[in-house]
Amino acid sequence: MSIRQPVASTKRRKRSPEEAKLEALAAARELLLTGGPKAITLTNVGKAVGMTHANVIHHFGSAAELQSALMGSMVADLAQSIEDAVTHVRSDEAAPRELVDIVFDAFEKGGAGMLAAWMALSQEVSHLEPVADAVRSLVKAIEDRAGISDEVAHRRVTSAVLLIALCGFGDSVIGPQLREMLGRDPEAARRVTARLLPSFFEGED
């Protein structure tokens, strides 16, 4: 379910239940990005979209269910971004830097990195299966492109995907602060990751 951008108004207005839920989820996503998980409360979401506390409860049942719905929607967006990387690998040569950019963008887009950090810290992993499916598809797409079929090569591909995903996740969560500390530019982590990728195919990991 794609999230619409929240309406910047607290004025109450008539909307369908589906529209109300989409706007509430969009507001919750913005609150996550600007204030972290603790900012996602029924009251804050209601204020952002012009709904009463009771109306938000009517649509989601509780703050936990609202947060669960947000996780599900954002995970779906992240999975779609990774699937876009799969399509790219299958249709293009997908040089290391191109693949790195796609995965890094997937974590940066719409706060997916922040979501992943939230899920990891809260040990809330019930929504992750779509991402797992997308990651497995990415591994297979790389293997198909490279003509890989043996177990050693499979381990190298999974190691490469692991590196890209971990670096993309870390860069989306704390990359700006680390780069400032080290005096590095915004593309530094992407360049380093892309340079490391070929090493995974030069010998056993």
Side-chain angles (χ1 to χ4, degrees):
M1 177 171 60
S2 179
I3 296 180
R4 299 177 184 175
Q5 290 301 309
V7 177
S9 172
T10 58
K11 182 179 179 180
R12 295 178 194 172
R13 56 192 176 79
K14 189 173 182 62
R15 66 199 111 185
S16 72
E18 182 65 14
E19 288 174 332
K21 290 186 73 171
L22 288 174
E23 290 180 16
L25 287 173
R29 175 178 286 192
E30 185 63 27
L31 288 166
L32 172 64
L33 294 176
T34 58
K38 66 180 182 299
I40 305 174
T41 66
L42 297 175
T43 299
N44 286 346
V45 170
K47 287 180 179 178
V49 296
M51 283 195 285
T52 66
H53 184 276
N55 279 339
V56 181
I57 291 178
H58 171 73
H59 290 298
F60 294 99
S62 67
E65 290 180 46
L66 168 62
Q67 292 171 354
S68 180
L70 175 62
M71 284 184 181
S73 179
M74 292 182 71
V75 163
D77 287 350
L78 175 57
Q80 182 59 58
S81 294
I82 296 175
E83 285 293 348
D84 290 343
V86 173
T87 301
H88 182 83
V89 170
R90 287 176 175 159
S91 61
D92 300 321
E93 287 303 316
R97 177 56 194 263
E98 292 177 291
L99 183 57
V100 166
D101 282 341
I102 291 170
V103 177
F104 271 55
D105 288 344
F107 278 101
E108 287 184 8
K109 180 181 178 182
M114 179 70 76
L115 171 74
W118 177 22
M119 294 178 75
L121 290 172
S122 64
Q123 298 185 338
E124 174 57 73
V125 297
S126 61
H127 297 287
L128 279 178
E129 192 55 36
V131 176
D133 289 341
V135 170
R136 287 190 285 264
S137 294
L138 180 57
V139 169
K140 187 176 186 307
I142 294 172
E143 290 178 338
D144 291 346
R145 166 64 68 177
I148 289 171
S149 59
D150 63 279
E151 182 60 29
V152 173
H154 172 73
R155 284 178 57 81
R156 292 174 185 168
V157 172
T158 57
S159 294
V161 171
L162 177 64
L163 173 72
I164 299 172
L166 287 175
C167 291
F169 164 63
D171 193 61
S172 70
V173 174
I174 198 171
Q177 293 81 5
L178 284 175
R179 290 193 297 270
E180 183 177 358
M181 295 174 195
L182 298 170
R184 302 301 301 271
D185 65 273
E187 299 291 308
R190 296 179 183 229
R191 289 197 304 272
V192 170
T193 305
R195 284 201 297 267
L196 286 174
L197 281 183
S199 67
F200 285 92
F201 303 94
E202 295 170 358
E204 186 171 357
D205 66 324

